[in-house]
């Protein structure tokens, strides 16, 4: 901490820095002036990237998380700024990309008096965030920020929003409670799937004759690419990706199928997935888009293994499969420890055109 913390805005920036946040994407407005004053003073510690508007700030933070595996942070002022930001968070919410959104709001003294740009932000963000809270005092800011970061990264990752009224940013508290920061890096946890599910999945992989994997954006966020490729090479198992999973494995690799599903897919890739007797989904929702309307693979076709952090989503679109609830990299490493390499004769047959 540098200098004396004088108000809520300084407390907020200090908490961000202590959590490891070094970049904020945003678009300033009248309710966020106090926050921007502090950002300007601490520009050597935390960088502000000016967006064209608040929607772009959300998309920029999304891309930052996906490309760096660090928690993307975006900011927007009250009213229309918050409304614009919501559209930038919707894709991240659907794709389980963790983001921290910080919005400012009108002075609480004006609430209910029809001030310009008044909107119920907690209600606004209900459909596109997994957690949202409004700070009622400057003292709450460190604890709320730690809670927000933990919520964004924990369980099924996703966007969260911390709402700060203008007067809370200006408030000078008598005491600021010490709160241990939560490191803003994805994934937040590296939980493994239950042993029984791993054993069942490993047995299914050993028994399969034409296994194929399909990786999504969750494999990127987990850093699961090396483990996925190692498992694929051990089993001579081709790997396709969704649009969001593109690049998880080198597309020049002999086992790479490229994009599968309904967006940007290659026909031969879809045919290969449809013809497999086991499909391992890794970090993908396995929704209608990623599976070409549930035809690659069919729901009544091959054995399905689904690696997913959210218990409510694992295996949901393919009933009867084996849900592997946990971090993608951790689960794949556990499968690697349970699955031997296929014999050379079988390997050659699987790799044949």
């Amino acid at each position: 901490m540098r200098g004396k913390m004088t108000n809520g805005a300084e407390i907020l920036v200090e908490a961000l820095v202590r959590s490891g946040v070094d970049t904020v994407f945003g678009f300033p407005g009248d309710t966020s002036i106090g926050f921007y004053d502090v950002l300007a003073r601490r520009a050597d510690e935390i960088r502000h990237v000016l967006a064209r508007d608040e929607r772009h700030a959300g998309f920029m933070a999304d891309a930052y998380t996906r490309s760096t595996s660090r928690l993307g942070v975006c900011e927007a002022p009250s009213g229309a700024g918050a409304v614009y930001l919501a559209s930038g968070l919707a894709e991240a919410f659907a794709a389980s990309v963790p983001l921290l959104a910080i919005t400012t709001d009108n002075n609480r003294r004006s609430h209910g008096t029809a001030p310009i740009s008044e909107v119920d932000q907690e209600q606004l963000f209900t459909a596109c965030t997994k957690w949202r809270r409004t700070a009622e005092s400057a003292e709450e800011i460190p604890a709320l920020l730690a809670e927000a970061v933990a919520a964004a990264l924990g369980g099924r990752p996703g966007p969260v929003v911390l709402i700060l009224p203008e007067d809370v940013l200006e408030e000078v508290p008598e005491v600021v409670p010490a709160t241990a920061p939560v490191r803003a890096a994805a994934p937040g946890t590296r939980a493994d799937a239950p042993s029984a599910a791993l054993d069942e999945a490993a047995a299914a992989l050993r028994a399969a004759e034409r296994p194929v994997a399909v990786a999504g954006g969750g494999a990127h966020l987990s850093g699961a690419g090396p483990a996925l490729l190692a498992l694929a090479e051990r089993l001579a198992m081709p790997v396709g990706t969704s649009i969001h999973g593109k690049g998880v494995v080198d597309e020049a690799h002999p086992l790479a199928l490229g994009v599968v599903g309904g967006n940007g897919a290659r026909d031969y890739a879809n045919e290969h997935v449809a013809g497999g007797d086991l499909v391992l989904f890794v970090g993908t929702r396995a929704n209608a888009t990623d599976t070409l309307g549930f035809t690659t693979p069919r729901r009544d076709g091959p054995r399905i293994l689904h690696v997913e952090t959210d218990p409510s989503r694992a295996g949901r679109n393919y009933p009867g499969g084996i849900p592997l609830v946990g971090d993608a990299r951790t689960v794949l490493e556990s499968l690697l420890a349970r699955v031997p390499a296929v014999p050379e004769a079988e390997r050659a047959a699987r790799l044949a055109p």
Side-chain angles (χ1 to χ4, degrees):
M1 181 173 60
R2 186 168 45 178
K4 181 181 178 182
M5 289 192 298
T6 58
N7 60 23
E10 184 69 41
I11 294 168
L12 172 62
V13 174
E14 175 67 21
L16 288 169
V17 171
R18 291 185 64 214
S19 294
V21 173
D22 63 3
T23 303
V24 175
F25 304 93
F27 190 84
D30 54 355
T31 55
S32 57
I33 290 174
F35 180 44
Y36 274 81
D37 283 344
V38 182
L39 287 177
R41 292 199 302 270
R42 303 187 66 170
D44 60 329
E45 295 175 279
I46 187 165
R47 174 182 60 150
H48 178 265
V49 179
L50 181 64
R52 185 176 293 273
D53 64 33
E54 295 84 358
R55 293 170 299 182
H56 295 89
F59 291 126
M60 292 161 78
D62 182 330
Y64 180 88
T65 299
R66 294 180 196 243
S67 60
T68 68
S69 294
R70 299 183 65 180
L71 184 66
V73 180
C74 52
E75 174 276 333
S78 62
V83 173
Y84 265 34
L85 181 62
S87 64
L89 302 180
E91 166 58 23
F93 183 72
S96 302
V97 176
L99 299 181
L100 169 63
I102 296 170
T103 64
T104 53
D105 202 359
N106 294 322
N107 191 303
R108 288 174 298 169
R109 292 191 301 273
S110 68
H111 284 185
T113 64
I116 187 170
S117 74
E118 182 171 36
V119 62
D120 184 338
Q121 291 194 32
E122 290 198 25
Q123 183 66 29
L124 169 68
F125 290 113
T126 297
C128 59
T129 62
K130 61 178 290 193
W131 180 101
R132 59 222 141 257
R133 289 284 300 278
T134 300
E136 298 296 338
S137 68
E139 288 97 332
E140 292 181 347
I141 292 174
L144 282 178
L145 185 72
E147 186 178 336
V149 172
L153 298 171
R156 176 196 166 200
V160 299
V161 61
L162 176 58
I163 304 163
L164 297 138
E166 188 176 15
D167 56 308
V168 171
L169 290 176
E170 296 170 349
E171 181 183 331
V172 179
E174 293 184 5
V175 177
V176 178
T179 302
V182 177
R183 300 303 295 175
T189 59
R190 290 285 186 184
D192 203 354
S195 293
L198 289 167
D199 291 341
E200 185 180 4
L205 284 168
R206 290 193 297 268
E209 296 180 355
R210 302 182 309 280
V212 61
V214 176
H220 272 303
L221 289 172
S222 174
L228 176 59
L229 185 57
L231 184 64
E233 290 176 337
R234 182 169 295 182
L235 296 173
M237 176 175 64
V239 179
T241 73
S242 68
I243 284 289
H244 290 149
K246 187 176 174 66
V248 167
V249 298
D250 184 350
E251 294 199 3
H253 193 282
L255 289 170
L257 292 173
V259 174
V260 303
N263 277 356
R266 306 175 186 185
D267 289 342
Y268 71 82
N270 281 339
E271 291 170 5
H272 199 106
V273 174
D277 66 345
L278 179 146
V279 178
L280 169 64
F281 287 115
V282 181
T284 169
R285 288 167 281 179
N287 59 16
T289 302
D290 295 343
T291 63
L292 195 61
F294 305 108
T295 63
T296 56
R298 301 187 320 276
R299 282 174 162 159
D300 61 350
R303 192 73 184 273
I304 301 295
L305 314 181
H306 192 182
V307 182
E308 164 65 53
T309 59
D310 185 354
S312 70
R313 289 194 174 203
R316 182 173 68 186
N317 290 334
Y318 282 86
I322 302 173
L324 296 164
V325 180
D327 169 66
R329 191 184 80 185
T330 303
V331 171
L332 291 174
E333 289 172 345
S334 293
L335 289 175
L336 268 169
R338 289 169 164 81
V339 178
V342 298
E344 286 304 317
E346 187 175 345
R347 177 181 300 274
R350 292 186 182 185
L351 294 176

